[in-house]
Amino acid sequence: MGQVILDKVSMKFGDFTAVDNVSLEIESGEFFSFLGPSGCGKTTILRIISGFNRPTSGTVYISGSSMEGIGPNKRPTALIFQNLALFPLMSVADNIAFGLEVKNIGRNDRRKKADELLELIALTGYGDKNINELSGGQKQRVAIARALAVEPQVLLLDEPLSALDLKLRQHMRSELRDIQKKTGVTFIYITHDQGEAMTMSDRVAVMSAGKIEQTGTPEEIYNHPSTPFTASFVGENNLFRGRVISASDGMSVIDTPCGRFTGVNTDGHKQGDEAAIFIRPERMTVADSTEENGQNIFSSTVSRMEFEGSFVNLFLKKACADREISVNMMNSGETGRFRQGQQIRIAFSPEHSRVMKADGKIS
Amino acid sequence: MRSSKNILNIFLTGYMVLFFLYLFTPLMFMTAAAFNSSSFPTFVPWQGATLSWFETLFKDRILWGSVLNSVIIGAGVIALAVPTGLAGAMLLTSRGIRGRGFLYALMVSPILTPGVILGISTLIFWDNIGVPGGIFLTIIGQTAYISSFCMLMFMARLQRFDRTLEEAAMDLGATHKQVFRKITLPFLRPAIYSAVLIAFLQSFENYNTTLFVIGAETTMTIRIASMVRLGITPEINALAVLFILFTILAAVLYEARRRDEARRAEAAKEAEERESDTVQNLRLDMQTD
Amino acid sequence: MKDMLLRYGRFITAYILISCTVWIVGLVIVPQLMMVDYSLWYRDETAVQKRLEKMNVLEDRLLMIDSDIAAEKYLDHPDQAKIDSLDAEYESLSAEISKMEASETSAVKKYGMKNYMTLFSNTLHRSVFLKSIWSSVVITLLAFAICYPVACYLAFSVKKQTAALLFLGLVIPYWVNEILRTFAWLIILSYKGVLNTLLMKAGFISQPIDFLNGNVGVLAGMAYAYVLFMVFPMYNTLSTLDKNQIEAARDLGASWIRIHRRIIIPYAKPGIAVGSIMTFMLAAGTYAVPAILGGTSGIWFTQIIYSWFFDGGNWNQGSAYAFILLLLCVVFIAFMMRLFRVKMEDMAK
């Protein structure tokens, strides 16, 4: 049984449904991320787990017991706020030991615990400093130490890295992962940054409009997206819309303005459904004019090129597709042969292409 | 264009000089008369310098008794109005309060109501319960409107409060009471000091409300007023001199504190800049790694 | 409400709600409603007279029964039945009298607009009332005229540091007691006062002028006492105006007057509204200034209210006048808010 269980949890604010019937299990010791655009309800889920919001319906279980009617101060969770919410009028050590102070634990024990945690976050000797004397990354680590001080079973993190600049953010990713490994505490992480979610998490839940679109390991999410939203939100994806003309043996054939393509039938759609086929830019290759052997093939014109060093992005005119098509390839030293306006043939294999029902709009 | 602006500035500066003369000349006349031996408070004609009016003042038992009453009332008003104003501010800064605008108008209304009305309504209400005018009633009557001042001060501070601090504390296991004591109150501390000061000053100076509810007792302001109306002597001027000195002292202290705070804010800002430098350095470090 | 419970918990939420209720209902609304109630009834004098007569008759009868009983008891063979019936009558009469005594006020309490009509029928009161309103308006306008340049100067013409220092200069007289501030003008304006003495020495007048008999003294004193209540709100608003707006307007060739009319005054509206409301309310509701500087003819409406309470002993009448004063202020506030299109929330300083 999972350590954190959401059972048909919904949250409505007036007419607006922020969280829509979410059920989920998070295992003990897992680094679990909620990934989604702003307004998708991921922060609300976090606030429901931590107890700041009461769900309109549904129940949260932590370590087997229902959290109904239990306030945030009585739950075995600790939350790291987006703005960190460090107490500006207290020293670093007092901040870290606050959770112990309110449990009336003696000054010496508090100090000892604070020093231990300061060592964990590599800020030994910073205990007496004022919060305002710390840098952004240091504040970040103090916030984590403060949350860990209460020895929570679950640590909740609400986009804690969003205020940092890029370099520091990347540095903090590995540090967070290290701390999680060292402490073995379950981390539930909220982010709109797929890079963060993918690099740190054991499992990711992709959210959109209050619903969970897909849950899985980063690899599963990236390689086998099961909904159009996941496919287009996580990583780059090219897509062609069309109509399913046959669906059998787990494969589908779809007619698009760019041609007839075959791909994996991801959601069990039927013949005649409106659908779209998704294919990653790095799965597309420039084909020789003769090559075919079961590959999906289409022709287009190079509209522009981006040189990024180790790889090259080729953009094709969107004449037959919904949007510009991008092809991503390793820099083999021969990329110079492409010119703007050049007519080229592109091939991609059916097993890397995913066909799903797409009657609505795809962002 | 430029010269016309200069003329305007000269005109404005002159106006300001006149304005300050208007403000301070009467106070200076009043001060000067305190040292004139003439038994009528004036400094023309000058009849020789004296400190005897201060002596009379210090020997005036009735007056000092009334000052004591004023202090007692002030303390009572602080004890009632500051917590009440805080409660009002906490109510109005909460989310999801229906009819907030109306509530706000209600809670500010005592400031916009003439003091005599507050005095009269308090007097009538408590007379019906059988409580006559006196120190207690004065505290009640003044609290009605001084609470509004305190509320406005607390509101200004609470609106700048980062609520996630409270949530963070609660998340770490603090009870509501602990959150209030350890997080909210420390944040409000400067506002509490100002509220206490303003509440006391307002109470100490109040005349219109007090007039109706003081009954047979007397406060300093009431005593001065009756002294002014029933035969004035420069004793009042001597008192005024003390009062002005006290006010100047308080104002200077206040200004010093304000500057100190401004300096601290400046320092905090600098620290922030320094911090972004540190991040910059950190980045450089990492790049060289 | 739900938010408060989550944020502060049951105990503190209960404290907040109780404290606010006691304050607003107990200290503000109910007392004022009671004042309104007082203003709506009066002692019915003819009923008072009738009651007195009836009570006198009853008391006379009581005395008679008393003596009858005594006479009966004095007999050798008192008629016990007669004594009993007299006793019973005595009991019921005395009960009736004590009942009448207990209901002394309610019996003669009569609701009606009589207390309000007094203001219209009493020409002296009416003229004092109108004069108080009129003078308060004049003082408000005067205070605005005096303060506007000051607020502009503090907000735009000097550096922040200098402005803070000058501001302190304003705070000092502001915190000097209102009575003392008024007293300062008494020293200046009185018959043997500074102004008369100086004017006579300079040879402008040969006889002292009685400034304090009439309204001149009251107006001068009030303008002085309340002028600062106009400066502070106006300065507070103006100091937040982005000076670039003025520069931009000047750059676009706007004249000095146009800048004030189109940019500064519209921006200062909330401040002007608050300042005007405070000044008007203080002027209309003052007791001290006219009492000190008004002499016998510079009487103010509040003084009439006061005398209903403490000299005339007619609280009902006084309540009616007080309520009229309150209404007047409410009307003025509503008028200012409409005129300047500001809401209550904008006016917090």
Side-chain angles (χ1 to χ4, degrees), chain C residues 171-196:
Chain C
V171 170
I172 291 170
Y174 174 82
W175 280 121
V176 172
N177 200 297
E178 181 186 342
I179 310 286
L180 290 178
R181 262 184 284 169
T182 312
F183 173 65
W185 280 86
L186 182 67
I187 296 174
I188 295 174
L189 295 177
S190 62
Y191 201 72
K192 290 190 288 177
V194 176
L195 189 59
N196 272 326

mmCIF file of all heavy atoms in Angstrom, chain C residues 171-196:
data_model
loop_
_atom_site.group_PDB
_atom_site.id
_atom_site.type_symbol
_atom_site.label_atom_id
_atom_site.label_comp_id
_atom_site.label_asym_id
_atom_site.label_seq_id
_atom_site.Cartn_x
_atom_site.Cartn_y
_atom_site.Cartn_z
ATOM 1 N N VAL C 171 4.058 68.335 12.767
ATOM 2 C CA VAL C 171 3.562 67.397 13.771
ATOM 3 C C VAL C 171 3.543 68.040 15.162
ATOM 4 O O VAL C 171 2.633 67.805 15.949
ATOM 5 C CB VAL C 171 4.416 66.112 13.776
ATOM 6 C CG1 VAL C 171 4.085 65.243 14.968
ATOM 7 C CG2 VAL C 171 4.180 65.337 12.498
ATOM 8 N N ILE C 172 4.553 68.869 15.432
ATOM 9 C CA ILE C 172 4.652 69.442 16.784
ATOM 10 C C ILE C 172 3.412 70.259 17.157
ATOM 11 O O ILE C 172 2.767 69.963 18.154
ATOM 12 C CB ILE C 172 5.958 70.243 16.935
ATOM 13 C CG1 ILE C 172 7.131 69.252 16.918
ATOM 14 C CG2 ILE C 172 5.970 71.046 18.225
ATOM 15 C CD1 ILE C 172 8.482 69.895 16.810
ATOM 16 N N PRO C 173 3.024 71.268 16.375
ATOM 17 C CA PRO C 173 1.797 71.976 16.761
ATOM 18 C C PRO C 173 0.568 71.075 16.733
ATOM 19 O O PRO C 173 -0.370 71.280 17.490
ATOM 20 C CB PRO C 173 1.675 73.093 15.726
ATOM 21 C CG PRO C 173 2.653 72.797 14.676
ATOM 22 C CD PRO C 173 3.677 71.886 15.227
ATOM 23 N N TYR C 174 0.606 70.034 15.883
ATOM 24 C CA TYR C 174 -0.531 69.123 15.785
ATOM 25 C C TYR C 174 -0.747 68.386 17.094
ATOM 26 O O TYR C 174 -1.872 68.153 17.523
ATOM 27 C CB TYR C 174 -0.259 68.145 14.641
ATOM 28 C CG TYR C 174 -1.255 67.035 14.456
ATOM 29 C CD1 TYR C 174 -2.445 67.261 13.761
ATOM 30 C CD2 TYR C 174 -1.002 65.763 14.947
ATOM 31 C CE1 TYR C 174 -3.348 66.237 13.568
ATOM 32 C CE2 TYR C 174 -1.903 64.729 14.748
ATOM 33 C CZ TYR C 174 -3.071 64.965 14.070
ATOM 34 O OH TYR C 174 -3.962 63.951 13.877
ATOM 35 N N TRP C 175 0.346 67.999 17.738
ATOM 36 C CA TRP C 175 0.208 67.258 18.988
ATOM 37 C C TRP C 175 0.083 68.139 20.214
ATOM 38 O O TRP C 175 -0.102 67.639 21.314
ATOM 39 C CB TRP C 175 1.366 66.276 19.164
ATOM 40 C CG TRP C 175 1.165 65.026 18.378
ATOM 41 C CD1 TRP C 175 1.986 64.545 17.406
ATOM 42 C CD2 TRP C 175 0.078 64.108 18.474
ATOM 43 N NE1 TRP C 175 1.468 63.390 16.888
ATOM 44 C CE2 TRP C 175 0.301 63.099 17.529
ATOM 45 C CE3 TRP C 175 -1.080 64.044 19.257
ATOM 46 C CZ2 TRP C 175 -0.582 62.046 17.348
ATOM 47 C CZ3 TRP C 175 -1.946 62.991 19.072
ATOM 48 C CH2 TRP C 175 -1.700 62.016 18.133
ATOM 49 N N VAL C 176 0.252 69.454 20.055
ATOM 50 C CA VAL C 176 -0.017 70.328 21.193
ATOM 51 C C VAL C 176 -1.523 70.354 21.374
ATOM 52 O O VAL C 176 -2.287 70.478 20.421
ATOM 53 C CB VAL C 176 0.537 71.736 20.941
ATOM 54 C CG1 VAL C 176 0.079 72.682 22.039
ATOM 55 C CG2 VAL C 176 2.053 71.697 20.905
ATOM 56 N N ASN C 177 -1.927 70.199 22.623
ATOM 57 C CA ASN C 177 -3.337 70.088 22.947
ATOM 58 C C ASN C 177 -4.204 71.146 22.260
ATOM 59 O O ASN C 177 -3.848 72.305 22.179
ATOM 60 C CB ASN C 177 -3.438 70.246 24.463
ATOM 61 C CG ASN C 177 -4.713 69.691 24.993
ATOM 62 O OD1 ASN C 177 -5.761 70.190 24.634
ATOM 63 N ND2 ASN C 177 -4.618 68.678 25.810
ATOM 64 N N GLU C 178 -5.362 70.679 21.779
ATOM 65 C CA GLU C 178 -6.301 71.584 21.101
ATOM 66 C C GLU C 178 -6.673 72.777 21.975
ATOM 67 O O GLU C 178 -6.756 73.915 21.506
ATOM 68 C CB GLU C 178 -7.560 70.779 20.746
ATOM 69 C CG GLU C 178 -8.627 71.585 20.022
ATOM 70 C CD GLU C 178 -9.914 70.781 19.836
ATOM 71 O OE1 GLU C 178 -9.864 69.548 19.956
ATOM 72 O OE2 GLU C 178 -10.961 71.395 19.581
ATOM 73 N N ILE C 179 -6.867 72.520 23.247
ATOM 74 C CA ILE C 179 -7.243 73.592 24.169
ATOM 75 C C ILE C 179 -6.099 74.610 24.261
ATOM 76 O O ILE C 179 -6.319 75.820 24.248
ATOM 77 C CB ILE C 179 -7.521 73.027 25.580
ATOM 78 C CG1 ILE C 179 -8.475 71.838 25.502
ATOM 79 C CG2 ILE C 179 -8.024 74.109 26.498
ATOM 80 C CD1 ILE C 179 -9.895 72.184 25.229
ATOM 81 N N LEU C 180 -4.880 74.095 24.329
ATOM 82 C CA LEU C 180 -3.739 75.012 24.441
ATOM 83 C C LEU C 180 -3.558 75.813 23.153
ATOM 84 O O LEU C 180 -3.238 76.991 23.186
ATOM 85 C CB LEU C 180 -2.465 74.227 24.764
ATOM 86 C CG LEU C 180 -2.414 73.634 26.171
ATOM 87 C CD1 LEU C 180 -1.139 72.837 26.364
ATOM 88 C CD2 LEU C 180 -2.508 74.735 27.224
ATOM 89 N N ARG C 181 -3.786 75.149 22.012
ATOM 90 C CA ARG C 181 -3.682 75.859 20.744
ATOM 91 C C ARG C 181 -4.702 76.998 20.689
ATOM 92 O O ARG C 181 -4.420 78.091 20.218
ATOM 93 C CB ARG C 181 -3.947 74.883 19.580
ATOM 94 C CG ARG C 181 -2.685 74.356 18.958
ATOM 95 C CD ARG C 181 -3.015 73.501 17.778
ATOM 96 N NE ARG C 181 -3.516 72.190 18.181
ATOM 97 C CZ ARG C 181 -4.072 71.316 17.361
ATOM 98 N NH1 ARG C 181 -4.210 71.634 16.084
ATOM 99 N NH2 ARG C 181 -4.484 70.145 17.781
ATOM 100 N N THR C 182 -5.881 76.706 21.198
ATOM 101 C CA THR C 182 -6.920 77.734 21.219
ATOM 102 C C THR C 182 -6.570 78.836 22.221
ATOM 103 O O THR C 182 -6.763 80.025 21.968
ATOM 104 C CB THR C 182 -8.262 77.093 21.598
ATOM 105 O OG1 THR C 182 -8.446 75.932 20.810
ATOM 106 C CG2 THR C 182 -9.403 78.054 21.351
ATOM 107 N N PHE C 183 -6.023 78.402 23.327
ATOM 108 C CA PHE C 183 -5.611 79.347 24.358
ATOM 109 C C PHE C 183 -4.577 80.326 23.805
ATOM 110 O O PHE C 183 -4.598 81.518 24.115
ATOM 111 C CB PHE C 183 -5.041 78.563 25.547
ATOM 112 C CG PHE C 183 -4.426 79.418 26.599
ATOM 113 C CD1 PHE C 183 -5.200 80.306 27.342
ATOM 114 C CD2 PHE C 183 -3.066 79.342 26.882
ATOM 115 C CE1 PHE C 183 -4.635 81.102 28.317
ATOM 116 C CE2 PHE C 183 -2.489 80.124 27.857
ATOM 117 C CZ PHE C 183 -3.273 81.011 28.575
ATOM 118 N N ALA C 184 -3.698 79.817 22.936
ATOM 119 C CA ALA C 184 -2.700 80.696 22.335
ATOM 120 C C ALA C 184 -3.387 81.843 21.596
ATOM 121 O O ALA C 184 -2.937 82.993 21.650
ATOM 122 C CB ALA C 184 -1.806 79.900 21.391
ATOM 123 N N TRP C 185 -4.485 81.552 20.947
ATOM 124 C CA TRP C 185 -5.200 82.618 20.234
ATOM 125 C C TRP C 185 -5.965 83.517 21.187
ATOM 126 O O TRP C 185 -6.177 84.694 20.886
ATOM 127 C CB TRP C 185 -6.134 82.029 19.170
ATOM 128 C CG TRP C 185 -5.324 81.689 17.971
ATOM 129 C CD1 TRP C 185 -4.641 80.545 17.735
ATOM 130 C CD2 TRP C 185 -5.036 82.563 16.877
ATOM 131 N NE1 TRP C 185 -3.952 80.622 16.571
ATOM 132 C CE2 TRP C 185 -4.182 81.853 16.006
ATOM 133 C CE3 TRP C 185 -5.418 83.857 16.532
ATOM 134 C CZ2 TRP C 185 -3.695 82.410 14.830
ATOM 135 C CZ3 TRP C 185 -4.948 84.405 15.353
ATOM 136 C CH2 TRP C 185 -4.087 83.685 14.518
ATOM 137 N N LEU C 186 -6.341 82.978 22.310
ATOM 138 C CA LEU C 186 -6.973 83.825 23.321
ATOM 139 C C LEU C 186 -5.981 84.893 23.764
ATOM 140 O O LEU C 186 -6.334 86.071 23.915
ATOM 141 C CB LEU C 186 -7.414 82.964 24.509
ATOM 142 C CG LEU C 186 -8.138 83.702 25.624
ATOM 143 C CD1 LEU C 186 -9.487 84.198 25.129
ATOM 144 C CD2 LEU C 186 -8.333 82.804 26.835
ATOM 145 N N ILE C 187 -4.731 84.488 23.955
ATOM 146 C CA ILE C 187 -3.705 85.449 24.367
ATOM 147 C C ILE C 187 -3.540 86.536 23.311
ATOM 148 O O ILE C 187 -3.389 87.714 23.620
ATOM 149 C CB ILE C 187 -2.357 84.721 24.580
ATOM 150 C CG1 ILE C 187 -2.484 83.733 25.728
ATOM 151 C CG2 ILE C 187 -1.244 85.705 24.839
ATOM 152 C CD1 ILE C 187 -1.240 82.879 25.883
ATOM 153 N N ILE C 188 -3.595 86.111 22.055
ATOM 154 C CA ILE C 188 -3.400 87.087 20.982
ATOM 155 C C ILE C 188 -4.596 88.027 20.856
ATOM 156 O O ILE C 188 -4.454 89.242 20.736
ATOM 157 C CB ILE C 188 -3.162 86.352 19.644
ATOM 158 C CG1 ILE C 188 -1.860 85.561 19.712
ATOM 159 C CG2 ILE C 188 -3.142 87.334 18.482
ATOM 160 C CD1 ILE C 188 -1.611 84.699 18.499
ATOM 161 N N LEU C 189 -5.789 87.452 20.923
ATOM 162 C CA LEU C 189 -6.975 88.222 20.534
ATOM 163 C C LEU C 189 -7.692 88.914 21.686
ATOM 164 O O LEU C 189 -8.582 89.739 21.451
ATOM 165 C CB LEU C 189 -7.970 87.299 19.815
ATOM 166 C CG LEU C 189 -7.515 86.715 18.474
ATOM 167 C CD1 LEU C 189 -8.574 85.780 17.924
ATOM 168 C CD2 LEU C 189 -7.219 87.829 17.477
ATOM 169 N N SER C 190 -7.331 88.589 22.919
ATOM 170 C CA SER C 190 -8.138 89.124 24.007
ATOM 171 C C SER C 190 -7.998 90.648 24.114
ATOM 172 O O SER C 190 -7.125 91.264 23.497
ATOM 173 C CB SER C 190 -7.764 88.443 25.322
ATOM 174 O OG SER C 190 -6.418 88.727 25.612
ATOM 175 N N TYR C 191 -8.877 91.212 24.918
ATOM 176 C CA TYR C 191 -8.989 92.677 25.017
ATOM 177 C C TYR C 191 -7.661 93.323 25.386
ATOM 178 O O TYR C 191 -7.242 94.309 24.804
ATOM 179 C CB TYR C 191 -10.069 92.988 26.066
ATOM 180 C CG TYR C 191 -10.635 94.367 25.931
ATOM 181 C CD1 TYR C 191 -11.477 94.693 24.861
ATOM 182 C CD2 TYR C 191 -10.351 95.341 26.878
ATOM 183 C CE1 TYR C 191 -12.007 95.950 24.732
ATOM 184 C CE2 TYR C 191 -10.882 96.618 26.759
ATOM 185 C CZ TYR C 191 -11.716 96.920 25.688
ATOM 186 O OH TYR C 191 -12.235 98.167 25.560
ATOM 187 N N LYS C 192 -6.997 92.694 26.342
ATOM 188 C CA LYS C 192 -5.686 93.213 26.743
ATOM 189 C C LYS C 192 -4.566 92.419 26.082
ATOM 190 O O LYS C 192 -3.437 92.417 26.548
ATOM 191 C CB LYS C 192 -5.535 93.103 28.272
ATOM 192 C CG LYS C 192 -6.418 94.050 29.033
ATOM 193 C CD LYS C 192 -6.058 94.069 30.502
ATOM 194 C CE LYS C 192 -6.472 92.788 31.214
ATOM 195 N NZ LYS C 192 -6.060 92.757 32.632
ATOM 196 N N GLY C 193 -4.909 91.727 25.020
ATOM 197 C CA GLY C 193 -3.989 90.747 24.449
ATOM 198 C C GLY C 193 -2.910 91.341 23.566
ATOM 199 O O GLY C 193 -2.780 92.558 23.407
ATOM 200 N N VAL C 194 -2.146 90.446 22.986
ATOM 201 C CA VAL C 194 -0.960 90.812 22.218
ATOM 202 C C VAL C 194 -1.311 91.701 21.026
ATOM 203 O O VAL C 194 -0.714 92.751 20.813
ATOM 204 C CB VAL C 194 -0.250 89.534 21.720
ATOM 205 C CG1 VAL C 194 0.923 89.912 20.830
ATOM 206 C CG2 VAL C 194 0.207 88.707 22.896
ATOM 207 N N LEU C 195 -2.320 91.291 20.287
ATOM 208 C CA LEU C 195 -2.643 92.007 19.053
ATOM 209 C C LEU C 195 -3.093 93.432 19.349
ATOM 210 O O LEU C 195 -2.599 94.399 18.755
ATOM 211 C CB LEU C 195 -3.731 91.245 18.289
ATOM 212 C CG LEU C 195 -4.015 91.758 16.888
ATOM 213 C CD1 LEU C 195 -2.763 91.707 16.039
ATOM 214 C CD2 LEU C 195 -5.126 90.926 16.239
ATOM 215 N N ASN C 196 -4.016 93.573 20.310
ATOM 216 C CA ASN C 196 -4.499 94.907 20.664
ATOM 217 C C ASN C 196 -3.355 95.786 21.161
ATOM 218 O O ASN C 196 -3.233 96.946 20.768
ATOM 219 C CB ASN C 196 -5.590 94.801 21.729
ATOM 220 C CG ASN C 196 -6.956 94.621 21.077
ATOM 221 O OD1 ASN C 196 -7.207 95.157 19.999
ATOM 222 N ND2 ASN C 196 -7.822 93.852 21.719
#
